[in-house]
Amino acid sequence: MKPQPAELLAELRRRGVTDTSDATLDRALYSSDASLYRVVPQAVARPRHPDELHAILDVAREYSVPVTMRGAGTSIAGNAVGPGLVVDTVRHLGRILEVDPEARTARVEPGVVHASLQRAAAPHGLRFGPDPSTHPRCTIGGMIGNNACGSRALGYGRTSDNVADLRLAWLVDDATDRLAGLVDARLAHVRTHFGRFSRQVSGYALEHLLPERGRRLDRFLVGSEGTLAVVTEATVSLVPEEPRRLTVLGYPSMAEAADAVPTLLAGGNRLVACEGLDARIVDLVRAAGRPVPALPRGAGWLFVEVAGEEPVVAAGELDRRTVDDPREAAALWRIREAGAGLAARSLARPAYPGWEDAAVPPEHLGAWLRDFERLLADHGLTTVPYGHFGDGCVHARIDFPLGDDRGRQRFRDFLLASASALRTYGGSISGEHGDGRARSELLPLMYDAESLALFSQVKRACDPDGLLNPGVLVDPAPVDADLRPARPVGSVRTALRLTHDESLGAAVHRCTGVGACVAPAAVGVMCPSYVATREERDSTRGRARVLQEALDGTLVQGLRDPAVTEALDLCLSCKGCVSDCPTGVDMATYKAEVLHQQYAGRRRPRSHYTLGRLPAWLDRTPGWARRLAGAGPVATVAKAVAGVDRRRTLPRPAPRRLARPASGPQPDVWLWADTFTDHFGPGIAAAAGALLDRAGLSARVIPEPACCALTWITTGQLDRAREIVAGTVSTLAPYVASGIPVVGLEPSCLATLRTDAAELVDPGGAAALASGVMTFAELAERLDLPLPDLAGTRVVAQPHCHHASVLGWEADERLLRRAGATVVRVPGCCGLAGNFGMERGHYEVSVAVAESALLPALRADPDAVVLADGLSCRHQLADLAGVRALHLVELLADRHPALPR
């Protein structure tokens, strides 16, 4: 009889496993990984010590509860979802216990993130060899589970080749002897059917138990997908870091690129990586407005990385380019690493994993790709192939029409046909991600009956009751069972247009779970709350999963469910995911829509009426009140009324607003008086005007008021926001249409016109406005404005989140460097994010976000000029660091020799 979750959790806690939960929110967060599968667990456990892993298995055995180990939740094959207890090692078991440079090894707990291990090994000139595309967030335990490989496995081997020792928690005591006996009874069969080529990852790697291979139990368990034992600690081998050089070879097609691989492998170079990339993926990056380094001619490329300086020996390419600039090489590798997410939206309809990483011996790769394309055409499907061509491994996100039963049948039929075709090439249905729920049923199409019988005997020897990751490898679930809905069960009428998606359900399903948002050290803006809390619920992926459940599933009861409120509470609406999520999730927009739905006809939180309507309150504030604002007892009362945390100061409005002359000659530049510049930073507009005047240009403030409605949007007051935005578009349209440049000075307001306006009003008018309003840096580049000499000036710059994510901060950085400044760009968010950091209940997280990058950057360079164009960022800096930050135009005006200081 299945135990009740409360009974199970009580027993776990009695055994010392205290971080456990059966809450709806946690079960929703862990119901999916990066695959197509959804299995709602009974409960979630996050062990704090390796001993707790042993306790978890003891309780599981006593209560007959299945256990599924989960690394970073980036499994593409459905290896990390299960019906019983899901065990998350990332939260607490992420310690690097030792790096031994003499032995070239590292001892780690299973939740150690790959990138963290690389950082720890780097000072010793070492690295962990395999590096999957998910290396900023995947765990060593997860890599062991799947025998992960990555781009550089060609040079450094798979995870199984780099494991030196494993400490394990078993369900049985004599499993080791049983396994040796099973292999000894079938030595000839194991020698001829396993380990035939490097990417034969499907099934159990029985070749490692052969006596001539040293009976390496540790290496055998790598790739067993958590079905045989649980890793409590791993010792892994490290390799010397060495200079590597990237050459990109261009070919007419991906199949022709694949044809060239055998020549490359035999060419005499020591290849570290040989990756295939389709031009359509690069086109998607360019279409998003992101820079792409120059690439040689072709529709398909091989990224060939070699150790040393010798030219790459290849044949048949249209063109080639050797990339000597490390920054350009890194940018190209980032595109390749984002391949899974980019490929998912590079086709006319959404593309999914399922047939994700099949591999063939490299000499057959070109022929297999052509057969694969024919199979796709026969089933009415398309894909964009890419992958580890040097190892014969092809990744493919396919546009399976999963919205109905016929589409799901097509999914099943295609997987069966592909597995059958692959067998003729001696291929493996999995080349690095494991079989999981996506391919375990297909194993009879790859292995003979004797091999399959061996797999069953291995499973019974180690896990006789079938409790470890059931439904995977042995006694598998059907490949089309437990598929996550691709479309919402019900429909929600939205207030926003959701211009990039057909519905809110389709929008939240943009999240495929690849987990770029759960990297411990964020490269861009996404996801600041996760960086601060390390809680899955505070990641973009976690929020998307809960919203998917609310719209699709039976677990979360609609958008008004408390689980939805809890998941969205710490979303800063920073829009970091817009630029940094490879699948284009826009959680800020989804949150605005959800808040609109939740509070329709209901009383809102107090801060929605105060901070959410701040521009209206500011417009009504008389002069005497402006002078009192933010001072002493008045501020205390105002914070209490507004729902502002008592530890916050209130930004004080300027004594006077911007002057708006109603008439005069046509200027050379119009300045848009957004609410925040008008009320809090009129001096910024004055500095911009002075700079333009020094350049021989006249500037005037647009006389009519025009608010972007940002505060109404972020608090989900969308009906009123639509009215405001419609008025603003109508007001500003003639100025934009005149051809005179219109400059916005507050990045959050300008970004709202660039993105949110089209969600609320006629997209045509909003698009014309979005393309006609620019930042000061964009104007300076367009007009080639003269700049002051900033040589010797060190600048620590905190780009506003919306500036970095929507507008792009590259023009600002180019301008500063052209002026001679030394620039340190702070990654991530300041932590205030408009109303978020001001509200009660958010202060601690707001400070933690600031401590992730901004405050350490200030402490590292206390004499630098601090630059922050956003009002939120400047207020956070003043509040937490006592620093007066400058807007870009203030810095330029202050250092301009012809302007008074």
Side-chain angles (χ1 to χ4, degrees), residues 246-331:
L246 174 64
T247 297
V248 184
L249 307 174
Y251 296 87
S253 68
M254 292 303 293
E256 287 162 287
D259 291 336
V261 168
T263 302
L264 276 164
L265 295 176
N269 296 109
R270 187 178 150 237
L271 301 187
V272 177
C274 179
E275 297 292 290
L277 190 69
D278 193 287
R280 286 169 287 182
I281 291 177
V282 175
D283 290 343
L284 196 66
V285 177
R286 290 193 178 112
R290 301 177 201 169
V292 176
L295 288 165
R297 289 181 296 119
W301 296 287
L302 292 179
F303 285 22
V304 183
E305 192 174 74
V306 299
E309 296 294 322
E310 293 298 316
V312 170
V313 178
E317 72 267 24
L318 292 172
D319 194 8
R320 68 166 59 195
R321 181 186 175 220
T322 298
V323 184
D324 292 315
D325 185 340
R327 292 172 298 180
E328 284 193 302

Side-chain angles (χ1 to χ4, degrees), residues 647-666:
R647 290 163 287 188
R648 284 290 180 192
T649 65
L650 295 176
R652 300 187 69 169
R656 296 180 185 81
R657 297 171 63 178
L658 282 170
R660 290 185 173 90
S663 61
Q666 286 282 79

Side-chain angles (χ1 to χ4, degrees), residues 479-540:
V479 294
D480 53 342
D482 302 316
L483 287 177
R484 185 159 40 91
R487 289 288 184 273
V489 174
S491 60
V492 175
R493 184 174 180 178
T494 59
L496 296 173
R497 293 178 184 275
L498 300 171
T499 53
H500 299 293
D501 298 281
E502 63 189 46
S503 67
L504 184 59
V508 299
H509 273 286
R510 276 179 170 261
C511 177
T512 59
V514 295
C517 52
V518 296
V523 175
V525 176
M526 181 183 72
C527 181
S529 50
Y530 178 81
V531 170
T533 70
R534 295 290 192 270
E535 293 281 0
E536 178 77 17
R537 70 183 180 203
D538 298 324
S539 68
T540 305

Side-chain angles (χ1 to χ4, degrees), residues 220-557:
F220 160 71
L221 288 171
V222 176
S224 60
E225 304 182 39
T227 62
L228 304 178
V230 171
V231 175
T232 63
E233 182 186 304
T235 301
V236 296
S237 300
L238 304 175
V239 297
E241 187 64 272
E242 58 187 338
R244 301 185 298 271
R245 193 178 192 190
L246 174 64
T247 297
V248 184
L249 307 174
Y251 296 87
S253 68
M254 292 303 293
E256 287 162 287
D259 291 336
V261 168
T263 302
L264 276 164
L265 295 176
N269 296 109
R270 187 178 150 237
L271 301 187
V272 177
C274 179
E275 297 292 290
L277 190 69
D278 193 287
R280 286 169 287 182
I281 291 177
V282 175
D283 290 343
L284 196 66
V285 177
R286 290 193 178 112
R290 301 177 201 169
V292 176
L295 288 165
R297 289 181 296 119
W301 296 287
L302 292 179
F303 285 22
V304 183
E305 192 174 74
V306 299
E309 296 294 322
E310 293 298 316
V312 170
V313 178
E317 72 267 24
L318 292 172
D319 194 8
R320 68 166 59 195
R321 181 186 175 220
T322 298
V323 184
D324 292 315
D325 185 340
R327 292 172 298 180
E328 284 193 302
L332 290 170
W333 280 119
R334 280 195 296 271
I335 294 171
R336 166 59 191 88
E337 289 166 3
L342 293 168
R345 55 193 182 97
S346 59
L347 306 173
R349 61 189 180 204
Y352 302 101
W355 185 259
E356 171 62 33
D357 60 318
V360 296
E363 61 268 24
H364 300 316
L365 183 58
W368 164 244
L369 269 181
R370 291 177 176 89
D371 271 3
F372 184 52
E373 291 286 355
R374 283 192 286 271
L375 278 166
L376 288 161
D378 290 346
H379 288 80
L381 302 170
T382 55
T383 191
V384 179
Y386 65 100
H388 313 300
F389 278 25
D391 286 308
C393 182
V394 179
H395 291 306
R397 291 293 170 105
I398 300 172
D399 61 343
F400 298 116
L402 297 175
D404 55 40
D405 290 341
R406 287 181 59 192
R408 293 180 178 219
Q409 184 62 47
R410 203 192 312 181
F411 167 77
R412 179 179 178 81
D413 292 345
F414 177 80
L415 264 59
L416 292 169
S418 294
S420 297
L422 189 72
R423 179 167 49 191
T424 64
Y425 292 96
S428 178
I429 55 178
S430 173
E432 65 176 342
H433 292 306
D435 299 309
R437 295 173 180 274
R439 292 181 286 272
S440 292
E441 189 195 0
L442 306 178
L443 286 171
L445 298 175
M446 177 180 166
Y447 287 108
D448 64 5
E450 188 172 354
S451 297
L452 296 171
L454 256 174
F455 292 166
S456 294
Q457 291 162 2
V458 164
K459 176 71 170 175
R460 286 197 297 273
C462 299
D463 178 19
D465 297 320
L467 297 179
L468 294 179
N469 213 1
V472 172
L473 289 173
V474 174
D475 299 324
V479 294
D480 53 342
D482 302 316
L483 287 177
R484 185 159 40 91
R487 289 288 184 273
V489 174
S491 60
V492 175
R493 184 174 180 178
T494 59
L496 296 173
R497 293 178 184 275
L498 300 171
T499 53
H500 299 293
D501 298 281
E502 63 189 46
S503 67
L504 184 59
V508 299
H509 273 286
R510 276 179 170 261
C511 177
T512 59
V514 295
C517 52
V518 296
V523 175
V525 176
M526 181 183 72
C527 181
S529 50
Y530 178 81
V531 170
T533 70
R534 295 290 192 270
E535 293 281 0
E536 178 77 17
R537 70 183 180 203
D538 298 324
S539 68
T540 305
R541 178 178 70 181
R543 295 179 184 114
R545 287 288 181 251
V546 173
L547 291 177
Q548 288 169 6
E549 289 288 336
L551 294 169
D552 303 340
T554 57
L555 180 61
V556 177
Q557 302 300 307

Side-chain angles (χ1 to χ4, degrees), residues 637-692:
V637 173
K639 285 188 283 188
V641 170
V644 171
D645 190 281
R646 61 179 176 78
R647 290 163 287 188
R648 284 290 180 192
T649 65
L650 295 176
R652 300 187 69 169
R656 296 180 185 81
R657 297 171 63 178
L658 282 170
R660 290 185 173 90
S663 61
Q666 286 282 79
D668 298 305
V669 176
W670 285 110
L671 300 178
W672 169 42
D674 63 84
T675 295
F676 299 120
T677 303
D678 188 16
H679 288 279
F680 297 103
I684 293 170
L691 283 169
L692 293 167

Side-chain angles (χ1 to χ4, degrees), residues 149-234:
C149 300
S151 300
R152 295 185 175 90
L154 185 63
Y156 301 129
R158 307 161 298 176
T159 299
S160 58
D161 302 314
N162 291 273
V163 165
D165 189 31
L166 297 177
R167 291 190 179 182
L168 303 161
W170 295 89
L171 285 175
V172 295
D173 294 329
D174 57 349
T176 303
D177 294 338
R178 291 188 190 186
L179 291 171
L182 287 172
V183 171
D184 285 348
R186 296 172 179 81
L187 287 174
H189 182 83
V190 173
R191 286 172 176 144
T192 55
H193 286 73
F194 296 91
R196 291 177 288 105
F197 72 108
S198 66
R199 290 302 181 101
Q200 185 183 346
V201 169
S202 284
Y204 291 127
L206 290 162
E207 70 273 15
H208 291 298
L209 295 178
L210 289 167
E212 63 267 28
R213 294 216 183 186
R215 296 199 189 277
R216 290 296 299 270
L217 178 68
D218 52 356
R219 294 188 173 182
F220 160 71
L221 288 171
V222 176
S224 60
E225 304 182 39
T227 62
L228 304 178
V230 171
V231 175
T232 63
E233 182 186 304

